[in-house]
């Protein structure tokens, strides 16, 4: 008798599902080994397999090399468009990726006060007694006879006996009375008048010939006056004080103290390789009476172009031009000894400069030539050299940098070298020392300048500048 197996409904489908599940579980170990290394594979063993599978060790993901740059981050050496438009105030990145407290050069402080002009000035007043009028006073009288006046002082009687009627007869006596008159003099009293001259004191000006700087001439025009060869974006204000200017040229009268304030701006062009700027000084001069003055100086327009500009090292070579326009004071505000007005030229000042950066400091230099449009003004050659040392840097602090600085400036004229002339510009070698304190993008400079070659144009100069970068 044949036997038949009758499967329950759905039995064949159930067997197919079981076989598929067993096959899938058997393939899981191989799939786990094919996972990426940065994931931890799970080890699965089929319960239907007869032989035990070896246990796979966990895989540790590979750590990136700290010495190599992260490929997911942008290259820190490549400036972004924003950084290019607004370049940082500091030239090189630190090891941590931030900017140093200061790695570019500071500005020159400057030194020049200008030329000297021979003038006649009032140096004082001398008292002089002069008559101012007369006064009259009666000091007595004097007697003067102006005539006579009759005065009866008595009478004279005269008896006259008349002999009338013949001899022996007697007549009646006749008495004649005659007044005695005297003439009394008539006097008048004339007053005695004393006349006294009155005097007063007037002060007569005392004049002298002097050689002193003129406030509105050649003042605040040098490319090295709070400036450098590097084009920058900044606003600035400066104060300079010259003590006893011209004292060595005027031993009898002494010198003149000069104060100068200067405001200006600079704006970069051509991706920071060029700049244009303006500056305007305001000068107060003190000294002999009649020489003191306050005036606005000449407006200067400055152009710079860096034909070599290494943004990684900060090294730079540049050229430029300063044009000073005769806008300060008036054309006849300075009268020379001969009565003529002092020249007031437009000044053209071409210049060349460089900056060499080092890890701990910098060296910079500028050579320039001032050429006036009036030959009576001096043509002046100049050369300046400055060094700075980054003594302190803290990019995260309020005080981000301390930079001591030193400068030397040479000024020599091609004309107007005669100290007896109407216009005189002496040869100069001036040495500066100063310190810069940096507060982020704000720099505060302070320094002094001392001439070391005679005749010394001034005794000592003190100066301070505030520069704000933007």
């Amino acid at each position: 008798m044949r036997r038949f197996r009758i499967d329950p409904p759905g039995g064949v489908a159930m067997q197919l599902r079981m076989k598929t599940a067993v096959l899938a579980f058997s393939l899981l170990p191989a799939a786990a080994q094919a996972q990426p290394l940065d994931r931890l594979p799970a080890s699965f063993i089929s319960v239907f397999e007869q032989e035990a599978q070896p246990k796979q060790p966990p895989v540790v993901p590979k750590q990136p090399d700290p010495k190599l740059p992260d490929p997911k981050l942008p290259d820190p050496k490549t400036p972004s468009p924003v950084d290019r438009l607004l370049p940082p105030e500091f030239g090189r990145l630190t090891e941590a990726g931030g900017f140093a407290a200061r790695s570019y050069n500071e500005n020159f402080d400057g030194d020049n006060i200008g030329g000297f002009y021979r003038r006649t000035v009032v140096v004082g007043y001398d008292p002089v007694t002069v008559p101012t009028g007369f006064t009259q006073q009666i000091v007595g009288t004097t007697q003067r006879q102006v005539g006579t006046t009759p005065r009866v002082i008595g009478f004279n009687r005269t008896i006259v006996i008349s002999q009338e009627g013949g001899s022996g007869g007697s007549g009646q006596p006749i008495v004649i009375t005659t007044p005695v008159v005297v003439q009394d003099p008539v006097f008048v009293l004339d007053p005695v008048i004393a006349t006294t001259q009155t005097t007063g004191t007037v002060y007569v000006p005392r004049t002298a010939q002097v050689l002193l700087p003129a406030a509105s001439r050649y003042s605040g025009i040098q490319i090295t006056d709070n400036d450098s060869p590097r084009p920058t974006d900044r606003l600035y204000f400066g104060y300079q004080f010259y003590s006893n200017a011209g004292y060595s040229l005027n031993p009898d009268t002494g010198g003149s103290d000069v104060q100068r304030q200067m405001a200006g701006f600079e704006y970069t062009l051509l991706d920071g390789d060029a700049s244009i700027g303006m500056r305007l000084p305001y000068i107060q001069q003190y000294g002999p009476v009649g020489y003191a003055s306050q005036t606005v100086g000449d407006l200067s327009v400055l152009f710079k172009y860096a034909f070599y500009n290494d943004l990684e090292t900060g090294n730079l070579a540049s050229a430029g031009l300063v044009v000073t326009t005769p806008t300060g004071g008036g054309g006849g505000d300075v009268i020379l000894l001969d009565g003529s007005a002092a020249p007031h030229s437009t000044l053209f000042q071409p210049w060349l400069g460089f900056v060499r950066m080092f890890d701990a400091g910098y060296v910079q230099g500028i050579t320039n030539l001032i050429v006036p449009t009036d030959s009576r003004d001096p043509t002046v050659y100049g050369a300046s050299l400055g060094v700075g040392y980054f003594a302190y840097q803290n990019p995260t602090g309020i005080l981000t940098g301390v930079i001591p600085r030193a400068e030397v400036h040479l000024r020599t004229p091609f004309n107007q070298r005669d100290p007896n002339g109407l216009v005189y510009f002496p040869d100069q070698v001036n040495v500066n020392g100063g310190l810069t304190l940096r507060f982020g993008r704000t720099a505060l400079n302070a320094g002094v300048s001392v001439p070391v070659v005679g005749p010394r144009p001034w005794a000592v100069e003190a100066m301070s500048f505030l520069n704000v970068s933007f």
Side-chain angles (χ1 to χ4, degrees):
M1 183 176 179
R2 298 180 61 181
R3 294 181 180 180
F4 297 91
R5 185 180 62 183
I6 302 176
D7 295 327
V12 176
M14 181 63 68
Q15 292 179 4
L16 290 176
R17 292 191 188 98
M18 292 296 295
K19 291 180 180 180
T20 302
V22 170
L23 180 60
F25 277 102
S26 64
L27 294 177
L28 283 177
Q33 293 181 359
Q35 294 299 320
L37 295 178
D38 58 346
R39 299 181 182 177
L40 292 177
S43 179
F44 298 94
I45 301 177
S46 175
V47 295
F48 299 96
E49 293 184 3
Q50 300 296 326
E51 297 180 359
Q53 298 294 329
K55 187 177 180 181
Q56 299 293 333
V59 179
V60 180
K62 184 178 179 180
Q63 298 295 329
D65 189 349
K67 297 182 179 180
L68 297 178
D70 191 343
K72 298 181 181 179
L73 298 177
D75 186 359
K77 295 183 179 179
T78 303
S80 68
V82 176
D83 291 336
R84 186 61 174 169
L85 292 175
L86 296 175
E89 190 61 22
F90 319 114
R92 292 190 296 275
L93 295 172
T94 63
E95 295 181 359
F99 289 111
R102 179 67 171 171
S103 58
Y104 276 175
N105 59 294
E106 301 293 340
N107 293 329
F108 283 101
D109 279 339
D111 64 309
N112 187 40
I113 194 175
F116 292 81
Y117 298 83
R118 186 173 299 279
R119 302 172 61 186
T120 298
V121 299
V122 176
V123 296
Y125 292 92
D126 296 323
V128 177
T129 301
V130 296
T132 58
F134 300 90
T135 59
Q136 290 183 330
Q137 182 180 5
I138 298 176
V139 296
T141 58
T142 179
Q143 194 176 53
R144 179 170 59 89
Q145 182 178 347
V146 296
T148 59
T149 181
R151 181 170 58 87
V152 177
I153 60 174
F155 295 93
N156 291 327
R157 290 183 180 184
T158 303
I159 298 175
V160 179
I161 298 175
S162 173
Q163 296 181 357
E164 295 179 0
S167 59
S170 60
Q172 292 293 327
I174 298 172
V175 178
I176 300 174
T177 302
T178 305
V180 178
V181 178
V182 296
Q183 297 293 329
D184 291 330
V186 177
F187 297 93
V188 295
L189 296 177
D190 292 331
V192 177
I193 300 175
T195 302
T196 305
Q197 185 183 56
T198 59
T199 60
T201 301
V202 297
Y203 293 88
V204 179
R206 182 172 68 254
T207 61
Q209 296 182 17
V210 295
L211 263 177
L212 289 175
S216 59
R217 304 292 195 276
Y218 276 70
S219 186
I221 66 167
Q222 291 278 357
I223 180 60
T224 52
D225 288 334
N226 188 37
D227 218 322
S228 80
R230 188 179 305 280
T232 56
D233 291 303
R234 63 187 178 116
L235 300 171
Y236 57 89
F237 176 82
Y239 172 81
Q240 294 165 277
F241 175 78
Y242 297 88
S243 172
N244 217 4
Y247 74 101
S248 61
L249 303 173
N250 305 279
D252 296 331
T253 60
S256 170
D257 292 339
V258 178
Q259 295 184 98
R260 180 170 68 214
Q261 299 85 41
M262 184 168 61
F265 75 92
E266 184 178 358
Y267 184 76
T268 59
L269 307 168
L270 303 178
D271 291 333
D273 290 335
S275 70
I276 184 172
M278 291 184 180
R279 67 167 71 139
L280 184 67
Y282 182 67
I283 305 103
Q284 303 88 45
Q285 186 164 3
Y286 310 91
V289 178
Y291 198 83
S293 64
Q294 299 186 35
T295 185
V296 177
D298 293 339
L299 176 68
S300 295
V301 183
L302 301 91
F303 304 92
K304 296 181 186 178
Y305 177 68
F307 52 86
Y308 171 75
N309 191 2
D310 190 331
L311 297 180
E312 292 187 2
T313 64
N315 297 334
L316 174 141
S318 61
L321 178 67
V322 180
V323 179
T324 301
T325 58
T327 56
D333 63 335
V334 179
I335 304 301
L336 300 178
L337 182 63
D338 62 354
S340 64
H344 200 179
S345 300
T346 298
L347 306 176
F348 294 92
Q349 183 183 170
W351 59 268
L352 290 171
F354 76 92
V355 177
R356 176 69 170 90
M357 300 300 305
F358 300 94
D359 290 338
Y362 65 87
V363 177
Q364 63 180 343
I366 284 182
T367 180
N368 65 314
L369 181 66
I370 299 176
V371 181
T373 55
D374 191 328
S375 61
R376 295 180 300 161
D377 269 328
T379 299
V380 182
Y381 168 77
S384 301
L385 187 67
V387 297
Y389 173 69
F390 307 128
Y392 171 79
Q393 298 183 80
N394 181 8
T396 61
I398 297 178
L399 178 63
T400 56
V402 177
I403 304 95
R405 299 170 291 101
E407 304 168 13
V408 60
H409 303 274
L410 168 68
R411 314 290 178 203
T412 184
F414 292 163
N415 61 339
Q416 308 299 356
R417 301 178 60 89
D418 183 8
N420 297 316
L422 294 177
V423 181
Y424 174 56
F425 197 102
D427 290 302
Q428 302 177 26
V429 177
N430 307 315
V431 177
N432 293 25
L435 184 71
T436 298
L437 301 178
R438 281 215 150 258
F439 304 91
R441 291 182 177 270
T442 300
L444 179 62
N445 296 7
V448 295
S449 177
V450 177
V452 295
V453 174
R456 297 175 64 182
W458 64 84
V460 64
E461 175 194 3
M463 68 200 86
S464 180
F465 298 98
L466 178 67
N467 293 268
V468 181
S469 300
F470 60 88

